[in-house]
Amino acid sequence: MAVKKKTTKKPAAKKKSAVKRKPNAAFMKPMKVSADLGAVIGNNPMPRTEVTKKIWAYIKKHGLQDAKNRRNINADDKLKPIFGGKKQVSMFEMTKLVSKHLS
């Protein structure tokens, strides 16, 4: 008698839904920018996502990322008032400090 081997089938992979995520309305709401922050990114009201993009563009344009630890941002004269007078902040701390300049 021949012994039949059991074949194990892997369960079919679930298909990912083709529905795109909708952006959170709170992040897309235009916010007023303080005068200090306006000196860096402009004074027009803009969503938080756009504020973050413009700040990073400014940081990269002026080479303000720390050379040794790229997670740290070195403040220039325009960024010091936004960073609460600190010379250097982490990128995570930066978002917290920037949010204080939005209303």
Side-chain angles (χ1 to χ4, degrees):
M1 239 185 185
V3 178
K4 291 185 180 179
K5 291 185 180 179
K6 288 185 179 180
T7 56
T8 57
K9 290 186 178 181
K10 293 182 182 178
K14 293 182 181 179
K15 291 183 181 178
K16 291 185 180 180
S17 61
V19 178
K20 289 187 178 182
R21 284 180 48 189
K22 293 181 183 176
N24 187 339
F27 287 116
M28 301 311 289
K29 178 183 170 191
M31 307 284 288
K32 291 181 186 174
V33 180
S34 72
D36 291 334
L37 186 56
V40 177
I41 64 170
N43 290 317
N44 299 333
M46 60 185 77
R48 291 176 184 270
T49 54
E50 194 65 28
V51 169
T52 304
K53 285 179 189 177
K54 290 192 180 238
I55 289 175
W56 273 107
Y58 179 85
I59 289 168
K60 290 183 181 196
K61 179 181 176 184
H62 293 90
L64 298 175
Q65 258 183 306
D66 190 57
K68 292 179 183 173
N69 187 352
R70 309 270 304 156
R71 289 181 287 180
N72 290 336
I73 310 302
N74 298 318
D76 63 357
D77 292 335
K78 286 186 176 182
L79 289 178
K80 262 190 187 171
I82 298 167
F83 292 168
K86 295 181 179 181
K87 291 181 181 180
Q88 189 178 64
V89 296
S90 73
M91 62 176 63
F92 305 109
E93 187 180 5
M94 177 186 74
T95 56
K96 179 182 171 185
L97 294 169
V98 167
S99 68
K100 294 177 182 177
H101 291 272
L102 298 172
S103 59

